[in-house]
Amino acid sequence: MNRSGIAQLLLFFAYLLLQVLVLRNVALFNTAFCFFYIAFILLLPIETNPLLLMLAGFLLGFSVDIFYNSMGLHAFATVLVAYLRNYWLNTITPQGGYESGAAVTVAANGLQWFLVYTIPLIFLHHLVLFFVEAAGVTLFWYTMLKIVGSLVFTMLVVVLFQFLTPPRRRL
Amino acid sequence: MERLINFIYEYRAFFTFLFLELLCAWLVVENNQYQSTQYFNSSNRVSAQLLGFSQGVREYFSLRTINEDLARENAELRRDLERTRIQLTEATTDTTRINQFDFVSAKVMANSTHLYKNFITINKGKADGLYPGMAVIGDAGAVGKVKSVSDRYAVVISLLNVDEQVSGMIKRTNHFGTVRWNGIDQRYTTLQFIPRHATPVKGDTVVTSGYNAVFPEGIMIGIVTEVNLKSEAPFWDIEIELSQDFGRLAFVEVIKSKLKSEKDSLEKVTTGERR
């Protein structure tokens, strides 16, 4: 395994622990939750192999599930995002394409691009997560409120982290 | 054949995706089956210890209230003990019946209140005689049912879980129904299937009915805060304020019912039901 692989492996555990030890206990107004762990999948380098992406997504989601007692729920939503991620990246390729080995950061592609990239995928993740958890649409508007509230919360943290971490050298 | 393999190889990403999603969907469905033995949840040792650590940090900040709760519970228990001793002088001599319920005190390692399906992880397990289906109560009332156990830890399905149903009874009139959470507010739950002819009013006390032998009869659930009868509905809509504050659960007690298996097997014989 090369250096970037090990770095990503450490990041995997960092995201997981942050999620299950800290963010699991946070709920704003009882409706907004933070599922920051999904950023790990979204921020992997652009040319990551789709199979590897999905496998990482499954392992991450499954690990989160163990702590949330929600077998398969987070894994389901995360694998979906991991699968669609590369297609979405191709769809919104900026003029001139991505540089080879480019990272997914605000620094590399600008804030506007970053938001266009992350918001729909995080929204989809939360949409699937909350509706599968509610097992139906009986509480439709309340569930929608939770989804939008969590989307805003998660996005805030994801963008904040983009500005907190110094632009990394290419791995 | 070769074509088929080529086809699958070409779309390997999609097929992997399909496989993983089906696996997850299966896990979700499987997990919804009530009371199963599972290892991939927070009762496994590593995750329980991690969660216990995080709970410990938070608990440090609420030591004062926990102390107060415990002291109050102590006092209530002593009073209960006295009352029971008096009652016993005129009660049955069948010791099995007197000792029907046994209590195991456990510490809460993890707890959630804001999901649709909330669970509580506690630090007692198979080694302490716990098994799935046991009732769990807190200092102020019913808390839930044991869902799965490992050697040292157990996961409890909370009353704040849309899948959990407990048989409840209005203490004043003895009408019984099903207590079931609606998934919205952690302070309130609902009592269903109270028939039209009953007369529940605001302020009625709702307790466990004891019909399923999981909970002893008369464990506090909450106070009725709202009653509503639609003109065509066969049952009342009743909202209950839970007496137990699930937001700051620190210690719970697991109830071992010694007569449960006897009662269950008797009922199985009577109804011919197989489970």
Side-chain angles (χ1 to χ4, degrees):
Chain A
M1 192 181 280
N2 53 20
R3 260 187 70 207
S4 83
I6 295 172
Q8 296 294 358
L9 197 67
L10 290 178
L11 262 183
F12 178 95
F13 286 107
Y15 274 102
L16 179 63
L17 289 180
L18 181 63
Q19 182 67 41
V20 300
L21 294 184
V22 182
L23 298 175
R24 200 181 70 90
N25 301 317
V26 180
L28 294 185
F29 316 114
N30 231 359
T31 45
F33 308 93
C34 185
F35 296 112
F36 183 56
Y37 72 91
I38 191 66
F40 174 74
I41 298 299
L42 296 182
L43 302 186
L44 280 171
I46 285 173
E47 285 159 347
T48 310
N49 180 330
L51 294 181
L52 205 62
L53 262 177
M54 278 187 280
L55 201 65
F58 179 75
L59 288 178
L60 184 58
F62 192 77
S63 312
V64 170
D65 275 328
I66 290 177
F67 289 87
Y68 274 75
N69 287 310
S70 58
M71 279 284 263
L73 181 66
H74 288 269
F76 188 89
T78 312
V79 169
L80 182 68
V81 168
Y83 177 66
L84 294 177
R85 184 198 105 126
N86 280 8
Y87 293 101
W88 185 233
L89 273 174
N90 285 337
T91 314
I92 57 167
T93 308
Q95 251 178 352
Y98 302 106
E99 292 170 52
S100 82
V104 182
T105 54
V106 169
N109 290 297
L111 182 63
Q112 195 188 350
W113 177 89
F114 187 79
L115 292 179
V116 168
Y117 168 59
T118 46
I119 288 180
L121 288 177
I122 292 184
F123 178 73
L124 182 74
H125 174 263
H126 290 7
L127 190 80
V128 171
L129 197 67
F130 282 107
F131 275 110
V132 173
E133 193 207 5
V137 289
T138 42
L139 291 168
F140 183 81
W141 290 113
Y142 183 60
T143 309
M144 278 315 275
L145 182 72
K146 275 187 168 181
I147 292 168
V148 174
S150 306
L151 174 67
V152 172
F153 192 3
T154 307
M155 276 311 298
L156 272 176
V157 177
V158 169
V159 172
L160 201 70
F161 259 71
Q162 283 296 308
F163 288 106
L164 282 180
T165 48
R168 264 185 298 160
R169 277 176 293 119
R170 299 264 162 68
L171 292 167
Chain B
M1 192 61 198
E2 197 191 331
R3 237 187 237 181
L4 180 69
I5 291 172
N6 277 340
F7 173 75
I8 291 177
Y9 184 73
E10 195 171 335
Y11 292 97
R12 61 193 182 281
F14 178 73
F15 281 110
T16 315
F17 167 70
L18 211 62
F19 169 74
L20 286 176
E21 288 296 55
L22 284 175
L23 179 67
C24 294
W26 178 76
L27 286 174
V28 169
V29 172
E30 190 70 5
N31 186 45
N32 282 342
Q33 311 263 325
Y34 191 56
Q35 281 180 20
S36 50
T37 319
Q38 293 161 348
Y39 299 96
F40 294 113
N41 61 27
S42 61
S43 72
N44 79 50
R45 182 189 289 245
V46 178
S47 61
Q49 274 168 358
L50 271 174
L51 289 172
F53 167 74
S54 124
Q55 172 84 355
V57 172
R58 269 185 307 145
E59 225 171 62
Y60 182 77
F61 295 100
S62 52
L63 278 179
R64 183 180 293 270
T65 45
I66 293 172
N67 262 339
E68 280 166 9
D69 284 350
L70 286 176
R72 202 184 50 232
E73 196 190 355
N74 246 341
E76 264 164 36
L77 288 176
R78 209 166 289 153
R79 202 164 47 232
D80 265 9
L81 184 72
E82 210 54 44
R83 204 180 300 148
T84 322
R85 193 177 295 155
I86 296 164
Q87 271 171 5
L88 279 182
T89 53
E90 48 185 319
T92 163
T93 50
D94 179 357
T95 48
T96 342
R97 196 167 287 282
I98 294 170
N99 301 325
Q100 183 180 350
F101 295 106
D102 199 6
F103 295 81
V104 179
S105 177
K107 192 160 171 295
V108 173
M109 308 295 281
N111 180 18
S112 66
T113 55
H114 42 248
L115 307 171
Y116 289 123
K117 295 172 181 175
N118 294 301
F119 294 93
I120 301 162
T121 311
I122 57 176
N123 71 343
K124 290 283 158 70
K126 225 179 288 168
D128 308 280
L130 268 58
Y131 55 83
M134 285 178 164
V136 179
I137 60 173
D139 55 344
V143 166
K145 241 179 264 180
V146 175
K147 181 181 162 104
S148 63
V149 291
S150 67
D151 279 346
R152 302 241 170 266
Y153 301 97
V155 171
V156 174
I157 179 166
S158 163
L159 278 193
L160 301 182
N161 186 314
V162 290
D163 290 338
E164 167 75 332
Q165 300 180 21
V166 169
S167 178
M169 182 172 78
I170 297 176
K171 204 175 177 185
R172 185 172 55 84
T173 63
N174 280 355
H175 284 99
F176 65 95
T178 302
V179 175
R180 188 172 191 183
W181 194 46
N182 57 10
I184 296 177
D185 193 327
Q186 66 177 69
R187 286 169 303 167
Y188 298 97
T189 184
T190 64
L191 179 61
Q192 302 172 330
F193 308 125
I194 294 293
R196 276 190 84 93
H197 64 266
T199 51
V201 293
K202 244 188 210 177
D204 270 347
T205 305
V206 178
V207 296
T208 55
S209 74
Y211 284 151
N212 55 10
V214 173
F215 284 100
E217 193 178 327
I219 297 284
M220 183 73 176
I221 293 177
I223 304 285
V224 174
T225 49
E226 215 177 292
V227 290
N228 189 11
L229 186 62
K230 295 202 187 80
S231 59
E232 295 298 324
F235 302 113
W236 288 83
D237 292 332
I238 300 177
E239 191 187 67
I240 307 173
E241 183 177 2
L242 286 160
S243 58
Q244 177 70 51
D245 182 353
F246 282 76
R248 35 165 254 230
L249 217 51
F251 289 92
V252 293
E253 281 180 14
V254 185
I255 304 178
K256 298 194 208 174
S257 167
K258 289 176 182 158
L259 296 182
K260 182 174 192 309
S261 54
E262 187 178 331
K263 187 166 175 178
D264 278 357
S265 57
L266 176 66
E267 278 165 6
K268 233 177 274 176
V269 170
T270 322
T271 58
E273 181 197 347
R274 257 180 243 164
R275 278 180 34 171

